[in-house]
Amino acid sequence: MIEVPMLRPTPFDIASGTVLGVGPPTLRVVPPVAPDPLAALERAVLPALSRPPCLVSFSGGLDSSLVLAVAVRVARWEGLPDPVPVTWRFTGAPRADESSWQDRVVAALGVGASWEILRADHDLDLVGPVAGRFLHRYGVRHPVNLHLHLPLLELAGGGSLLTGLGGDQVLSGWRRPPPRSTRARLGRVRVLARELSRRHRPRRLFPWLPAETARQVDRALRAEQRAEPRRLGPRVAWHLRRRDLVITRSAFTAVAEDHDVTPVHPLLDHAFLDALTALAGPRHRTSRDGLLAEIVGDALPPEVTAPRRKAHFRDVFLRTPTREFVRSWDGTGADPELVDVVALRDTWSRWPIPGGTAALVQQLWLATAPAPAPRFPPRATPVRPLPPAGGRRAGADAEVTG
């Protein structure tokens, strides 16, 4: 494995499945008059569009739809090549299916001719073919699903990649708006009732950790969740300092630069965040779709900001390769000071395994899986060259494997 300058999760982060901690406030010079949020987003995507091929990691969710739409709008204003949306579609993971919204947004923006659709079965499993290549090259990184961008970075070699990274933090956060329906309100009451019974909570949430470690992690996790500011402006600044997001950005940047790709995350652009704070900073519990609709107005097609359900990707990453590994794991590679090996084996005897053990799966698999020969070259080769912007949809429905 080559040494790449990026921040790494600690052994404790990996064992507990949490990346906790918030850095101190930093001083920034904020413009006296913040620009319009949409105008700030338009400026934020321009560096990526100016370095083609400009790919967009496009899932069909609100964040990636917004980024794609803004990039298309700016490219056509500036006479630059259209950005190329690249989308994963998965078999056997219906809760991750966003194809209907993907189709609607792409049609509304008129970028179907260059749309790249990558299909995956077991390919994106935590220790599947794509993750295996990633882990042998970079080791365990945060987040554990970072490998899903590896084929996109290979396609974008020499160009740029736009993402919706940061949307969950700056546009939503952990505190949800009040439930709108009676059913949703009853569901919230049931969740709160379970939270009130915390006697066995640490071992329930972290059964693979030693008892005292589980209690420490649970206390730290709850403390960080309670510390999230309620108003949007302070919440944005707080999330930008969280280790979770700092390590994610560091790893993404290092892997992208290793492929000669410029990564751009417009939703984390400082000018956009300043404008967003000027617009809605004092507000409490803003809804994501309502906030985006206010930012965009009628400048973009309504399909871009229309409310939609949140996709869930557990079944994309927990597939046959992970199931076979956890069933056969014999305790090799685990640090007994951090992990209760017997409890972990018991936890992994039931499927699906807890998502909090995903980084442990990758760490322990890597400890038992020798790197393939020959080793990878200094820069990974692209999956295949992209067609010229606006050309035929040559990459549609492509199979991507390790």
Side-chain angles (χ1 to χ4, degrees):
M1 182 180 68
I2 65 171
E3 287 297 323
V4 179
M6 68 177 89
L7 298 176
R8 304 165 180 260
T10 67
F12 187 82
D13 296 334
I14 293 172
S16 65
T18 62
V19 178
L20 301 176
V22 182
T26 56
L27 294 177
R28 287 186 53 244
V29 176
V30 179
V33 179
D36 169 70
L38 182 57
L41 279 178
E42 290 167 347
R43 283 193 286 273
V45 302
L46 192 54
L49 291 167
S50 301
R51 195 186 184 206
C54 173
L55 274 58
V56 181
S57 179
F58 173 64
S59 68
L62 284 171
D63 302 336
S64 66
S65 295
L66 174 65
V67 170
L68 175 61
V70 171
V72 170
R73 174 181 169 94
V74 173
R76 292 172 181 172
W77 273 355
E78 300 290 338
L80 296 169
D82 273 356
V84 178
V86 184
T87 301
W88 280 109
R89 286 189 177 174
F90 319 104
T91 61
R95 298 182 71 201
D97 181 24
E98 298 180 276
S99 57
S100 62
W101 279 107
Q102 293 162 2
D103 292 337
R104 291 170 67 176
V105 171
V106 165
L109 298 176
V111 290
S114 59
W115 187 15
E116 290 272 333
I117 299 177
L118 310 180
R119 296 192 177 272
D121 185 6
H122 302 302
D123 308 86
L124 296 179
D125 178 90
L126 289 174
V127 293
V130 177
R133 292 197 293 122
F134 183 94
L135 291 169
H136 281 302
R137 187 171 180 82
Y138 303 108
V140 180
R141 294 292 179 260
H142 177 75
V144 293
N145 63 358
L146 187 57
H147 62 275
L148 73 84
H149 278 101
L150 182 60
L152 278 67
L153 292 169
E154 291 169 342
L155 281 170
S160 58
L161 179 65
L162 284 163
T163 83
L165 181 66
D168 285 338
Q169 291 83 4
V170 303
L171 298 176
S172 180
W174 288 333
R175 302 184 190 275
R176 297 294 182 256
R180 297 177 181 177
S181 67
T182 301
R183 180 177 180 181
R185 285 193 291 271
L186 290 174
R188 181 73 62 86
V189 169
R190 285 193 292 269
V191 170
L192 291 174
R194 286 197 298 269
E195 286 295 305
L196 291 174
S197 176
R198 287 176 172 154
R199 181 178 177 185
H200 302 293
R201 171 188 160 106
R203 289 296 288 175
R204 185 175 71 247
L205 294 182
F206 307 100
W208 64 93
L209 298 179
E212 180 55 31
T213 303
R215 284 191 288 271
Q216 292 174 3
V217 174
D218 181 61
R219 285 195 295 267
L221 176 60
R222 287 189 285 118
E224 192 156 316
Q225 289 173 335
R226 288 194 301 268
E228 183 190 47
R230 293 181 179 274
R231 291 185 293 119
L232 183 142
R235 187 189 76 211
V236 167
W238 183 81
H239 273 290
L240 291 178
R241 305 197 313 270
R242 291 188 65 233
R243 287 182 63 239
D244 175 32
L245 187 56
V246 171
I247 292 178
T248 296
R249 294 181 72 177
S250 171
F252 202 115
T253 297
V255 176
E257 290 178 350
D258 190 43
H259 290 79
D260 191 25
V261 173
T262 299
V264 178
H265 316 297
L267 299 181
L268 294 176
D269 177 77
H270 281 301
F272 168 69
L273 297 178
D274 292 340
L276 181 66
T277 300
L279 172 71
R283 299 182 193 174
H284 294 248
R285 294 185 174 185
T286 54
S287 70
R288 190 190 208 127
D289 51 347
L291 186 59
L292 289 181
E294 183 177 359
I295 291 171
V296 167
D298 59 0
L300 299 175
E303 290 85 354
V304 174
T305 57
R308 63 204 71 177
R309 71 170 181 82
K310 183 76 172 173
H312 299 277
F313 295 93
R314 182 188 69 179
D315 293 341
V316 172
F317 303 110
L318 298 182
R319 307 293 281 253
T320 298
T322 291
R323 175 176 259 177
E324 291 178 348
F325 172 72
V326 299
R327 281 181 173 175
S328 63
W329 182 65
D330 60 3
T332 300
D335 182 347
E337 293 187 1
L338 295 174
V339 176
D340 183 331
V341 175
V342 174
L344 180 59
R345 293 189 67 186
D346 178 67
T347 300
W348 280 355
S349 69
R350 294 175 291 278
W351 190 262
I353 63 172
T357 63
L360 270 175
V361 170
Q362 293 184 330
Q363 181 189 60
L364 298 174
W365 176 87
L366 192 59
T368 60
R375 297 296 298 274
F376 293 105
R379 295 196 184 278
T381 55
V383 175
R384 64 179 174 281
L386 283 172
R392 67 184 183 88
R393 191 174 166 189
D397 299 335
E399 295 287 345
V400 174
T401 64

